[in-house]
DNA sequence: CTACTGACAACTGTCAACAGTTTGCCGTAG
DNA sequence: CTACGGCAAACTGTTGACAGTTGTCAGTAG
């Protein structure tokens, strides 16, 4: 067991397992597979036109992303989140993302920050047309913000948390009013970032995410007030 | 596709995939499978006495934990970490763990904090005997500290980061002197926690982890000074 | 009417074989 | 001697079938 060699460069090739992963993730996040629903391997593999092997691999990865929960010998279920779990996820996200923005304020090259600004401009101009995007906290802004920290493991962790949050608040989809507010808050965060004010950006980001959480919680409780 | 039901309670049953996961994780963390080494599915499945199916599932999970890297059609490799990646991991860990300790200072019940203290006493008394534990930052203390935050996703994230760090610094195993220092630093952190001084505990924790990182980096550079 | 028992059906876990891709080797041409 | 091309071995991706477990539902005893 000493077969020395170095990992090759990544040469992406399509694989059924990989494709199924993306399809299933989409089905979960857009509600085709509802929370608490059980995934039947036979039915799903037939629906996707593949065998159970690759499907099981895809499901496995979904479990590691926290989108489904697998119980040995009893099947896998789309995760459903309580209000408490949603709060926990947001708290984690706040810790990660405020740290990311502090790093970005210190180390991010000016150009990348400017790109974020022009991205916001595009979002705003397309806003009048499409009325609103499907999701107020457009993941793009936050994902790009995270990447400015230039810390791959941090980005990875935030991606996972982001996906779970998106699933947890799937029902509270579009909220036109909040989308407008969110854009303004994004601009404030960016302004602090341009000024290289890490603490200020972190503070604005935290309040932004906190109000986003409160909004989600309100919708959640309105849906099931028990 | 609307099969309603609720997720059952967890009823752990042994499964080849699950067992293989733990075996393989152990082999990677203790160096039996060296960094950059390729995992041959056929050889491994024969060595473990199982077929490739469950083995592939176990490998899949290792990949999601960040311990191996899978390249489609080219095999999976035990991850090896550069100094930069190790720093990134520590930075992420610091962000997560300082946040955890702040939460702990605010919300953790007194009893759980006291348990941490008696655990440190045991560690110290067993220290003269075994001379030193295999790993200076004994994962137990940090893992328990994380759990005090009472935020499962946060604990999960820290577990993953901890495993990767442990792999990254696998070579720099025992360091008796540092183990002694680490224990003292743990006591300081705990003292701040007892005083419910979240900021103080966070600061002490950060410097503790920073010196741990510097120690690891020094060992790493000594091993391969290129 | 309720609680237990046993068999059946459905589903997940596992296996062995097949198929497609990658990689290394060998021969040939320049 | 070096560069290119094609063949073959090795390995990963995929499949369909088998095995063991779980959950359900009659049927029966209390």
């Amino acid at each position: 067991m000493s077969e020395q060699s170095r990992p090759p460069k990544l040469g992406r090739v399509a694989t059924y397992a990989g494709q199924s992963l993306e399809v299933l993730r989409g089905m979960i996040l857009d509600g085709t597979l509802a929370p608490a629903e059980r995934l039947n391997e036979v039915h799903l593999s037939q629906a996707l036109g593949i065998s159970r092997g690759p499907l099981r691999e895809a499901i496995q990865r979904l479990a590691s992303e926290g989108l489904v929960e697998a119980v040995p010998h009893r099947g896998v279920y789309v995760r459903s989140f309580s209000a408490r779990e949603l709060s926990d996820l947001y708290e984690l996200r706040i810790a990660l993302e405020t740290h990311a923005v502090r790093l970005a304020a210190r180390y991010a090259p000016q150009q990348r920050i400017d790109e974020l600004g022009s991205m916001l401009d595009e979002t705003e101009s397309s806003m009048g047309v499409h009325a609103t995007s499907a999701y107020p906290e457009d993941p793009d802004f936050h994902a790009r913000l995270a990447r400015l920290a230039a810390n791959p493991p941090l980005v990875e962790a935030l991606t996972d948390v982001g996906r779970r949050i998106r699933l947890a608040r799937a029902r509270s989809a579009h909220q036109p009013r909040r989308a407008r507010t969110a854009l303004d808050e994004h601009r404030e965060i960016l302004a602090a970032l341009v000024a290289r004010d890490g603490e200020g950006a972190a503070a604005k980001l935290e309040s932004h995410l906190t109000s986003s959480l409160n909004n989600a919680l309100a919708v959640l409780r309105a849906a099931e007030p028990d």
Side-chain angles (χ1 to χ4, degrees), chain A:
Chain A
M1 259 183 227
S2 56
E3 188 180 335
Q4 270 295 4
S5 62
R6 53 212 155 287
K9 299 291 178 184
L10 32 73
R12 300 277 156 180
V13 177
T15 175
Y16 284 168
Q19 292 173 245
S20 304
L21 171 64
E22 293 183 33
V23 172
L24 287 176
R25 191 154 56 205
M27 291 173 75
I28 290 175
L29 290 179
D30 75 6
T32 307
L33 295 171
E37 182 172 341
R38 177 176 180 166
L39 303 188
N40 184 309
E41 294 185 359
V42 176
H43 294 165
L44 266 181
S45 63
Q46 287 171 350
L48 296 177
I50 61 177
S51 74
R52 282 176 53 220
L55 175 66
R56 279 175 67 92
E57 291 194 10
I59 290 177
Q60 196 87 220
R61 295 198 217 176
L62 288 175
S64 77
E65 291 176 4
L67 295 187
V68 302
E69 192 176 359
V71 185
H73 289 284
R74 295 189 196 173
V76 309
Y77 298 79
V78 178
R79 279 212 57 177
S80 59
F81 297 88
S82 66
R84 174 61 196 269
E85 288 169 316
L86 181 59
S87 298
D88 284 349
L89 285 172
Y90 260 97
E91 191 165 88
L92 174 55
R93 178 176 173 185
I94 288 173
L96 289 170
E97 208 161 322
T98 54
H99 189 70
V101 83
R102 283 193 189 92
L103 290 178
R106 254 188 286 170
Y107 302 119
Q110 195 60 42
Q111 189 197 347
R112 306 271 311 273
I113 296 181
D114 294 340
E115 286 171 11
L116 251 185
S118 49
M119 201 202 78
L120 284 185
D121 291 340
E122 288 178 28
T123 303
E124 181 159 28
S125 62
S126 75
M127 211 156 160
V129 184
H130 299 90
T132 175
S133 60
Y135 185 58
E137 311 307 326
D138 75 308
D140 252 25
F141 177 80
H142 290 274
R144 282 174 183 247
L145 193 63
R147 278 199 292 274
L148 289 186
N151 184 332
L154 174 58
V155 173
E156 197 185 323
L158 263 171
T159 303
D160 273 14
V161 176
R163 271 199 282 257
R164 273 180 281 182
I165 287 181
R166 202 171 142 197
L167 171 58
R169 53 180 299 180
R171 309 173 203 170
S172 62
H174 29 227
Q175 303 252 338
R177 237 186 338 207
R178 174 101 188 100
R180 222 325 171 197
T181 313
L183 182 62
D184 292 339
E185 291 172 358
H186 287 174
R187 285 209 185 282
E188 284 187 44
I189 295 166
L190 186 60
L193 201 54
V194 169
R196 299 290 173 177
D197 174 15
E199 286 311 314
K204 285 185 171 32
L205 178 60
E206 176 162 357
S207 80
H208 168 59
L209 288 176
T210 298
S211 57
S212 173
L213 166 62
N214 288 332
N215 186 298
L217 284 178
V219 175
L220 204 66
R221 295 197 202 285
E224 33 181 310
D226 53 307

